[in-house]
Amino acid sequence: MPSPAETLADTIGAIRALHRRRTFLMAQRKAKDLALGAFIRLDLGWHRGLPADERKAIATRAAEMIEAGRKALHGKGNGSEDAAYPGLHSIILASHKSCADIETLEAETTRAMEKLAKTLPVWGAWAKEVKGLGARSLAVIVGEAGDLGSYDKGEAGVWKRLGLAVIDGKRQGSAGKGADAATWLRHGYSPARRAAMFVIGDCLIKQQGRYREIYLARKTIEAAKAEAAGLRVLPAAKIKKSEAAGCISEMHIHRRAQRYMEKRLLRHLLRAWRRAEQSAPERAMGHAPAAERHTPSAPAEGEGQPSRARKRASGEAPYPVFHEAAE
């Protein structure tokens, strides 16, 4: 009978495999949707030389026809009333039909990820009570980061894996103009992993839970810091180029606060993950198999790999015990 450690390793591996499949299917679906939209816009006369309002109007027409065609495919309506729709109807429906199988596979894969995520020890111990997180979000985090308990540097390693670290005093992924290759390697930044975490953070903000409260509190702090630095906080549309040096946009404040909240979520998730790990005797004794260890395809500097044997040899506990502190 497999030990809890082996079962967890298998679960994590399965989630990561499903996540790769889901990511591929999503990319295929999006590519088809984008290609259809581009074709219809061009057919309606869109080109870069048009005034911005005309380009926007054509894009709106194209999006409306695409959505009307999607509904018609599912028996909801007869398509768009746009005069150009009859000539594009067959192409729109054919494109939607070609996506149908992909959408079905994507939905099935997502459900399988959610089901597996609910078997993780951290789900029942903590995650299921976090409003706005959900099994899908937990599965995506594990799919991108692997075994959270395997990071030598703890939360710092997890933050870096998901694009939320600070490298050489700069936000990860923003090395700046003139940065050399070595600097970019230190950043180890993946836009796709950062985007996945951003979507999770956005979901948390929209729920009336603890992490929205953390976000709102940080938003107030960031605005106060900006004003203390002599900056005016304004909507981006109201910031004139001549005054840009003395202003910061509300969106910039929002992004900073969301980033802070996402890092707090990962900190709390890691603590809960390790507490849940300690509840399994085999893992508390350090018997986790090598196959379970976190092995990203290109480990970035600062993440490190698991070194539980080294910690045991030095007398250090393989799983540090965290105590919640007030925010």
Side-chain angles (χ1 to χ4, degrees), residues 14-41:
I15 289 173
R16 299 194 78 184
L18 287 168
H19 178 62
R20 286 192 295 271
R21 175 180 291 190
R22 179 173 179 261
T23 300
F24 170 77
L25 292 169
M26 289 172 64
Q28 293 297 302
R29 172 176 53 79
K30 290 176 182 177
K32 287 179 177 290
D33 287 344
L34 290 172
L36 177 62
F39 173 80
I40 293 176
R41 288 193 298 272

Side-chain angles (χ1 to χ4, degrees), residues 1-312:
M1 182 176 179
S3 69
E6 292 168 335
T7 301
L8 180 58
D10 291 342
T11 301
I12 292 172
I15 289 173
R16 299 194 78 184
L18 287 168
H19 178 62
R20 286 192 295 271
R21 175 180 291 190
R22 179 173 179 261
T23 300
F24 170 77
L25 292 169
M26 289 172 64
Q28 293 297 302
R29 172 176 53 79
K30 290 176 182 177
K32 287 179 177 290
D33 287 344
L34 290 172
L36 177 62
F39 173 80
I40 293 176
R41 288 193 298 272
L42 289 173
D43 197 77
L44 293 175
W46 187 99
H47 62 83
R48 292 185 181 276
L50 290 175
D53 58 342
E54 290 186 32
R55 296 199 306 270
K56 184 176 180 180
I58 290 174
T60 300
R61 285 178 64 196
E64 188 274 328
M65 282 192 278
I66 290 172
E67 182 58 27
R70 191 189 309 276
K71 290 180 178 179
L73 182 63
H74 293 92
K76 300 177 181 179
N78 298 314
S80 172
E81 296 181 358
D82 192 294
Y85 183 78
L88 293 165
H89 172 78
S90 60
I91 291 177
I92 292 174
L93 257 62
S95 180
H96 286 321
K97 287 178 181 177
S98 72
C99 284
D101 289 343
I102 292 176
E103 291 172 350
T104 298
L105 285 172
E106 183 184 333
E108 291 174 353
T109 303
T110 300
R111 287 193 295 270
M113 287 174 60
E114 293 171 338
K115 185 176 180 179
L116 283 173
K118 291 179 180 179
T119 70
L120 293 170
V122 75
W123 173 257
W126 180 79
K128 71 176 182 179
E129 302 298 334
V130 178
K131 195 169 184 178
L133 183 60
R136 183 182 307 183
S137 295
L138 177 60
V140 169
I141 291 173
V142 173
E144 293 289 355
D147 181 358
L148 302 185
S150 71
Y151 285 80
D152 279 351
K153 294 185 178 293
E155 63 190 40
V158 177
W159 288 344
K160 186 172 183 181
R161 178 69 178 169
L162 294 171
L164 290 163
V166 175
I167 311 294
D168 300 330
K170 294 184 177 180
R171 176 169 55 85
Q172 187 181 0
S174 297
K177 293 182 179 179
D180 57 19
T183 300
W184 282 109
L185 284 173
R186 283 200 303 277
H187 275 245
Y189 184 72
S190 166
R193 286 197 291 270
R194 179 67 191 99
M197 195 63 219
F198 177 88
V199 171
I200 292 170
D202 189 57
C203 291
L204 288 164
I205 287 173
K206 293 174 181 177
Q207 295 293 320
Q208 299 295 327
R210 178 187 183 188
Y211 290 96
R212 175 176 171 80
E213 294 174 1
I214 292 174
Y215 157 77
L216 292 173
R218 188 65 188 185
K219 191 175 179 182
T220 300
I221 291 172
E222 291 292 346
K225 286 170 62 178
E227 291 171 355
L231 298 173
R232 296 167 60 203
V233 180
L234 296 170
K238 293 187 178 180
I239 298 178
K240 299 178 181 179
K241 288 186 178 180
S242 60
E243 301 174 347
C247 300
I248 186 171
S249 72
E250 292 177 346
M251 182 57 70
H252 198 151
I253 296 295
H254 159 69
R255 293 283 187 256
R256 286 182 173 181
Q258 179 173 337
R259 179 186 175 88
Y260 176 90
M261 178 269 288
E262 291 166 5
K263 294 177 77 168
R264 288 302 162 281
L265 170 73
L266 292 174
R267 169 180 287 175
H268 299 159
L269 174 58
L270 177 58
R271 292 174 176 179
W273 184 286
R274 285 179 163 162
R275 284 197 297 268
E277 280 188 317
Q278 288 177 318
S279 67
E282 290 86 351
R283 299 185 66 78
M285 293 173 64
H287 293 167
E292 180 191 341
R293 297 177 180 176
H294 172 60
T295 53
S297 56
E301 180 180 325
E303 272 187 37
Q305 296 298 310
S307 58
R308 295 168 185 169
R310 172 181 57 75
K311 291 183 178 181
R312 290 195 300 275

